[in-house]
Amino acid sequence: TNIGLILQTTFDKFGNIWIASYTSGLCMYNGKTVIRFGEKDGIKADFIYSITTCNAGNIWFGTQKGVFRITPTEQGGLSNIK
């Protein structure tokens, strides 16, 4: 899968790699496949400029529409979008 321009990456506590992409938005690589998260998942931004994981295990990312926080799930999904 072509992700396009990757700006930053971070890991979650389950070992997944989360990707800040300028062209594909928020992506997650679980070691087998790349999953793209978009508007249907509650991510209302196409350009993810920065991404980091905090000590609580949440993932924070900066977009053209502001800063968001998600909680990754063990199944490779996300919850608690704020």
Side-chain angles (χ1 to χ4, degrees):
T1 300
N2 185 359
I3 297 174
L5 182 60
I6 295 173
L7 299 177
Q8 285 187 320
T9 61
T10 192
F11 290 90
D12 66 22
K13 61 185 175 184
F14 308 111
N16 299 311
I17 301 171
W18 290 82
I19 303 163
S21 172
Y22 185 74
T23 50
S24 295
L26 180 65
C27 300
M28 189 265 306
Y29 178 66
N30 62 13
K32 298 176 186 173
T33 59
V34 173
I35 300 169
R36 293 181 186 177
F37 296 96
E39 202 163 322
K40 66 178 174 31
D41 305 297
I43 306 298
K44 298 183 179 3
D46 297 325
F47 305 111
I48 311 296
Y49 300 116
S50 60
I51 193 165
T52 191
T53 306
C54 70
N55 289 340
N58 296 311
I59 296 177
W60 293 79
F61 54 98
T63 76
Q64 81 271 25
K65 296 183 178 181
V67 177
F68 295 87
R69 183 191 79 199
I70 59 169
T71 303
T73 66
E74 191 169 2
Q75 296 77 24
L78 48 90
S79 65
N80 298 326
I81 301 167
K82 299 197 186 247

